[in-house]
Amino acid sequence: MAAEISPLLKMALELGPLLVFFFANARGEWLASRFPVLTEFGGPIFIATGLFMIATAVALTVSWLLTRKLPMMPLISGIVVFVFGALTLWLQNDTFIKMKPTIVNALFGTILLGGLFFGQSLLGYVFNSAFKLTDEGWRKLTLRWGVFFLFLAVLNEAVWRTVSTDTWVAFKVWGTMPITVLFTMAQMPLIMKHSVEPIMKDKP
């Protein structure tokens, strides 16, 4: 029987690969001296990319073993990690891994806003099991998240094109995540306003 993932474990599975990426980039030379096989990847950013791909695969595998399913967003993100990570290592060009957040966020934003254009609040299909909202609530929340994903895509492009690789890696881990958490918390008033109250049974 599939188990439910606790919030703490879920956070670890989502943040784990990012922390591996940050640590491997910061201590790439040290890791290469301890594990010479890692030099096959290249310099620190390429070692970080290779370990990021491995950590992502491990996180997805653990998630599947526990629940027998893979959430759509982590799955899509993982596929992009593997594709762009492989291009990064093969061509020894870190531009591809730097563009990965841009591609993922632009894809999510386009899908959500495109769904609204065709009258579908797609976010409702993703989070309907977590909480219930009115149709208007789902439309507003989907719109906000769609715009936010596009904002993250533009922000990533602005950052990686103007700062050093080390600064971009630090921003990817310690900048993007707090921004996302703050945005998520800012949606609580909307969620509470449009929550569907459970239907109470009539008293005899």
Side-chain angles (χ1 to χ4, degrees):
M1 180 180 295
E4 291 293 332
I5 296 182
S6 69
L8 187 60
L9 177 56
K10 183 178 180 181
M11 180 178 295
L13 292 175
E14 292 178 354
L15 293 182
L18 284 177
L19 294 178
V20 168
F21 185 65
F22 175 79
F23 175 79
N25 180 74
R27 303 299 300 276
E29 294 181 0
W30 178 84
L31 286 172
S33 67
R34 296 298 189 279
F35 307 97
V37 68
L38 294 179
T39 59
E40 296 294 326
F41 287 133
I45 186 61
F46 301 108
I47 292 175
T49 299
L51 295 182
F52 184 38
M53 294 169 65
I54 294 172
T56 298
V58 170
L60 289 174
T61 300
V62 171
S63 180
W64 183 83
L65 289 175
L66 291 177
T67 66
R68 293 301 188 223
K69 62 181 179 180
L70 290 176
M72 185 59 63
M73 294 176 69
L75 177 59
I76 293 176
S77 181
I79 292 173
V80 177
V81 166
F82 299 141
V83 172
F84 280 73
L87 289 172
T88 296
L89 297 178
W90 182 35
L91 300 176
Q92 289 291 289
N93 187 338
D94 59 14
T95 298
F96 293 102
I97 198 62
K98 290 177 178 178
M99 289 181 62
K100 175 261 174 185
T102 301
I103 300 299
V104 170
N105 288 316
L107 181 62
F108 287 155
T110 300
I111 290 174
L112 291 180
L113 296 180
L116 283 181
F117 181 78
F118 290 102
Q120 299 294 322
S121 301
L122 299 179
L123 207 61
Y125 294 100
V126 178
F127 293 111
N128 191 53
S129 61
F131 49 87
K132 307 290 185 180
L133 299 181
T134 63
D135 290 342
E136 180 184 2
W138 282 123
R139 285 194 297 271
K140 290 181 177 180
L141 194 62
T142 299
L143 175 62
R144 291 185 182 186
W145 272 102
V147 173
F148 179 69
F149 278 127
L150 295 183
F151 163 75
L152 289 181
V154 173
L155 182 61
N156 182 70
E157 283 296 293
V159 172
W160 82 260
R161 292 179 183 275
T162 56
V163 302
S164 67
T165 295
D166 289 344
T167 302
W168 171 78
V169 172
F171 171 78
K172 175 178 171 61
V173 179
W174 308 115
T176 302
M177 187 56 64
I179 291 174
T180 303
V181 170
L182 289 175
F183 175 81
T184 302
M185 293 175 62
Q187 307 316 304
M188 289 309 298
L190 173 68
I191 293 174
M192 294 176 65
K193 178 180 178 180
H194 293 279
S195 290
V196 177
E197 294 294 334
I199 299 175
M200 304 296 292
K201 293 183 178 179
D202 294 334
K203 294 182 180 181

